[in-house]
Amino acid sequence: MNVISNTENRILMAQALESLKGKWGLAIGAWFVVMLINVGTQAFGDLGALASLVIAGPLHLGWIGFVLALSRNQNPKFEQIFGGFNRFGTALGAYLLTLLFIILWMLLLIIPGIMASLSYSQTFYILSEDPSIGAMDAITKSKEMMYGNRWKLFCLGLRFIGWLLLCILTLGIGFFWLAPYMAVSMAKFYNDLVHGTSASAPMTA
């Protein structure tokens, strides 16, 4: 059994804006630090690129935990963005495995690659929710959860294209607001997926 996300994407986006009220400063600051660490490490040549690859998974897991708290109208702490380093091995494994699988699918065609990225999209949310689950199990669970939901998530992403273009016109300044908005909207999708309507799905999906 899996679940189907029923809430309309426009409503998920409206809910995201509501959750960000009064917390924009915290959300923008957290996103900026995560981005700065990712970009900053890459500035140190090959060693920096390797370091960026190594810390990307734990940093992303911490960011997802932070965003999930925002999406649930809780009071996330800034230091949560570093919480993923407490599960360094699992986060690194999940990041490398999903990256590898997506690249392998991309070798076939761009569309299978996009479908794969959508299938694996819930991996870090699952890891954030369940401290006991391993990387491969989280990936498998993500694929099962996304059966019948990939198109909806794809369409949610498309809704931000106009905002992306506007951010480019602002010389990138708009991304400080758009990035948290997109992240919380995606977390709202996960929340809706977890509490959606049950539906049958093959375990190999």
Side-chain angles (χ1 to χ4, degrees):
M1 299 289 287
N2 80 321
V3 290
I4 301 297
S5 173
N6 290 313
T7 306
E8 293 181 32
N9 285 334
R10 62 179 180 83
I11 296 177
L12 295 177
M13 294 169 69
Q15 291 174 348
L17 289 175
E18 188 65 29
S19 292
L20 282 163
K21 282 185 177 179
K23 298 176 182 176
W24 278 105
L26 178 63
I28 290 172
W31 173 78
F32 178 74
V33 170
V34 170
M35 181 194 68
L36 191 63
I37 294 173
N38 277 321
V39 175
T41 52
Q42 295 179 32
F44 295 94
D46 293 339
L47 184 60
L50 178 60
S52 178
L53 182 66
V54 170
I55 68 173
L59 202 56
H60 186 57
L61 180 57
W63 168 247
I64 290 297
F66 175 87
V67 169
L68 272 176
L70 273 177
S71 73
R72 292 169 179 174
N73 302 317
Q74 298 169 354
N75 294 305
K77 304 297 183 182
F78 179 82
E79 56 268 22
Q80 280 184 251
I81 62 175
F82 302 109
F85 287 93
N86 294 326
R87 299 176 65 196
F88 183 88
T90 300
L92 175 61
Y95 182 80
L96 294 178
L97 285 171
T98 53
L99 182 63
L100 174 62
F101 293 156
I102 291 171
I103 290 174
L104 290 175
W105 280 107
M106 283 285 189
L107 292 177
L108 298 178
L109 280 174
I110 185 69
I111 292 179
I114 293 173
M115 292 181 66
S117 65
L118 292 169
S119 292
Y120 307 142
S121 62
Q122 308 305 297
T123 298
F124 280 86
Y125 297 98
I126 295 167
L127 286 174
S128 181
E129 294 268 77
D130 186 354
S132 66
I133 197 169
M136 198 63 221
D137 287 338
I139 292 172
T140 300
K141 187 174 181 179
S142 176
K143 290 194 297 180
E144 294 170 357
M145 288 177 66
M146 287 303 292
Y147 180 82
N149 292 292
R150 288 181 298 193
W151 176 247
K152 187 172 187 293
L153 181 59
F154 181 74
C155 290
L156 177 58
L158 289 180
R159 282 180 166 267
F160 290 98
I161 289 180
W163 291 106
L164 287 168
L165 295 176
L166 285 175
C167 288
I168 293 172
L169 293 177
T170 64
L171 302 179
I173 295 175
F175 283 108
F176 284 91
W177 285 266
L178 181 61
Y181 180 25
M182 289 182 64
V184 177
S185 296
M186 296 299 175
K188 290 287 187 180
F189 173 87
Y190 170 79
N191 292 335
D192 190 56
L193 191 59
V194 169
H195 301 291
T197 302
S198 297
S200 298
M203 294 302 291
T204 56

